[in-house]
C-alpha cells in the first residue's frame, strides 16, 4: 500500500504529507525551509541543503559533539517581506 493510501485510511491525509527522497535531491523547492537540523553528518551535500533553505534560514549540524549553525545569507537585491 502506498504511503498516501495509508494516510488516507488513517484519516490524516492533508494534515501529514509524504515526499519521496531519491538519496541525492531533497524533495523541496528552492528557498522553502527555515531550518534544517542534522544530528550527524548529512547524507546529502551542503549545497543541496542550502538550496532548500530560505535566505536568512539556518543549517544546524552536530559535529564532533558540538552544534554548528550556518545561516544562509540574504541576497543584497532581496527586499524584506513584512507580511505573514
Amino acid at each position: 500500500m502506498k504511503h498516501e493510501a495509508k494516510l488516507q485510511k488513517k484519516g490524516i491525509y492533508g494534515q501529514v504529507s509524504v515526499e519521496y527522497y531519491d538519496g541525492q535531491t531533497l524533495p523541496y523547492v528552492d528557498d522553502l525551509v527555515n531550518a534544517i537540523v542534522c544530528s550527524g553528518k548529512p547524507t546529502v551535500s551542503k549545497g543541496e541543503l542550502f538550496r532548500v533553505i530560505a535566505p536568512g534560514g539556518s543549517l544546524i549540524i552536530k559535529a564532533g559533539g558540538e552544534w554548528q549553525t550556518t545561516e544562509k545569507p540574504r541576497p543584497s537585491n532581496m527586499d524584506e517581506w513584512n507580511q505573514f
Side-chain angles (χ1 to χ4, degrees):
M1 180 182 291
K2 290 198 175 240
H3 296 293
E4 293 91 346
K6 289 179 184 179
L7 295 173
Q8 287 173 339
K9 187 176 180 181
K10 290 183 178 188
I12 59 172
Y13 188 77
Q15 298 171 7
V16 177
S17 63
V18 176
E19 293 289 339
Y20 295 95
Y21 171 58
D22 66 8
Q24 294 180 349
T25 305
L26 296 172
Y28 306 109
V29 298
D30 297 358
D31 302 326
L32 174 70
V33 180
N34 288 318
I36 295 177
V37 179
C38 301
S39 61
K41 184 177 180 181
T43 59
V44 297
S45 71
K46 282 191 177 180
E48 177 61 9
L49 293 169
F50 274 104
R51 178 187 67 79
V52 301
I53 295 174
S58 298
L59 173 59
I60 306 160
I61 298 176
K62 188 174 187 180
E66 295 186 22
W67 291 98
Q68 299 173 353
T69 301
T70 307
E71 185 174 306
K72 182 175 180 179
R74 178 178 295 279
S76 61
N77 63 345
M78 180 183 277
D79 290 336
E80 292 285 331
W81 180 253
N82 61 1
Q83 305 297 317
F84 293 108

